[in-house]
Structures are given as structure tokens and as C-alpha cells.
Amino acid sequence: MAEKQTVLAVTGFRLWWLGVVALALFLYLVRSIIPPFLIGVALAYVLEPVVSSVQQRWRIPHAAAVFLVYLILLGPLIVVLILLGPRFFDETRQLIVRAPGIMARLIEQAFGPGPYDLMGTTTYPRQISDDLVGSARQSLGSPSLAIHLASMLVDFFLNVFLALIVSIYLLLDSARFIRLFYRVIPAGRRLEVQAVGEEIHRTLARFLRGEMFLVGLVSAVSFLGLELIFHLRYALPLAVATGLPEIVPILGPIAAGTIAAALALSEGGPGLALGVI
């Protein structure tokens, strides 16, 4: 009897490890489609309390609440993309193409017009900037990379669409998924875990929604300030580059301000850079 139990234990242990290996292999094979699923899960996690609140407040079906929340969120975003999308891509392309000249002016503003003596070699601001970004500029102009960038753009939009579909599906069946999750918890601890889990869910979801709102708010305010007050070129990509780092506390705003101030210094000198800061 003891030998039989030992054999069963060893067999179960081997099957467990075989399952782990099979799961790892499966995740490796589908690694390219995992990110949109994770984003979809995160989006559903963030929006589920909003959907529940809308459903309870307006007393509408759950599916209608999901549709209404996505309409409120995606409607303005689609309008912004239609109005500002072409300008964003055009200004980003110009910023990449003109990077050597911008960097050369930044070097001149910071260290003077030159020439400089670097380890016994005489060099000029434009030469330094060409050496730093010349290879990247040449690569961006190659047809192979242009095709690669186009395919990356298509993949990005497909991943966004897949993430939205996953999040909508999870939100529509959120009650069933929650019930399945709590069935795993022992019956004696289920109520306690449910109470703590709901509190964590509400708090964390509020934090994530606040971060998303903060990114949008900072990007919008930065764009209005750089565009209307300082008339800085490339205001739109700079505003996006200013909003996204807000996710990282302290260091994010410093990095974003440094990027905007550096471009302002190259375009308009110390006065404009100080105003942007």
C-alpha cells in the first residue's frame, strides 16, 4: 500500500511538472498575442466598477452599460485621432528628419558656436549631431525599415482592436468570471476574501483610472501651452511625450520637462526654454 501511494505521488509530481512545461511552451508559442490579452484584461479590470456603477445608477442592462461606457470613452478619442492624427504623424516624422539640425542648435546654445577640441580633434556642432543621429536617419530612410515600420503600425492597430474585443468580452461576462474565481476559495474564507478583494479592486481601479486621466490631462494642457502660448514647433508629439511619462512618479515629469525644454532651447534660446519649464 505504501509503495502504491509513493508511485502515485511520484506520478502526480511528474504530471504536475509536465503540465508546467507544457504551459510554458504554449505561452512561448503564443507570446506575440499575449500583450493585447493582458491589456484587455487590465482595461476590463479598470472599467468594471464604472460599468457596474452606470448599470446600478441608470438601471439599464449590463450589456447596455458596457456599450455606453465604451461609447463615452472611445467617442472623444476617435474624434481626437481623426482631427489630430495626421498632424501627429507628420510632426513626428519632421522631428525625426530634422533631429540633426535641432541637436546642432542645442549644442550651440549650450556650449557656444564652436569649434570644439575633443581629444585632440577639432569638431563643430553640426558634425557632432550628424555623428550622433546620422546613422538613425539613414536607417529611417531605407525601404526595408519603412516596410517594417508600416507592418509595426498595422500590428499596433490590430493589437489595440484585439485588446478592445477581449476587454468587452470580459466585461460582458464579468459576473460569471467573478463567480468562477470565488469558487476556488475555500467556503470558510470566501466571504472574507470577497470583502477584501472588492475593496482592493475598487481602490486599485480608481488609481489606474486616475493615472489614465492624468496622462490625458497633462498631454492636453501641455499641447495648449506649447501651441498657444509659446508657439513651439512639434507641440503635438511633445505634448504626448510629456503626458506618457506621468505614469512614473517624480522622474516622469522631470524627463518630460527636460525633453520639452531642450527643444525650446534649440528653437528659441534660454528665454523660451525657461518659459516652457
Side-chain angles (χ1 to χ4, degrees), residues 196-218:
V196 176
E198 289 178 354
E199 184 63 27
I200 293 174
H201 176 44
R202 283 194 299 268
T203 304
L204 184 57
R206 286 171 184 166
F207 169 76
L208 294 175
R209 288 198 302 272
E211 288 292 328
M212 294 168 61
F213 175 76
L214 182 64
V215 169
L217 177 65
V218 171

Side-chain angles (χ1 to χ4, degrees), residues 10-66:
V10 172
T11 303
F13 181 76
R14 289 177 178 175
L15 288 175
W16 186 85
W17 274 109
L18 184 61
V20 171
V21 172
L23 178 61
L25 180 61
F26 173 76
L27 293 177
Y28 175 78
L29 293 175
V30 300
R31 63 189 183 279
S32 60
I33 64 172
I34 289 178
F37 278 94
L38 293 179
I39 294 173
V41 170
L43 190 58
Y45 183 84
V46 170
L47 294 180
E48 195 277 331
V50 180
V51 171
S52 299
S53 177
V54 170
Q55 181 185 6
Q56 294 173 5
R57 181 172 299 181
W58 293 353
R59 297 180 179 179
I60 57 178
H62 187 74
V66 172

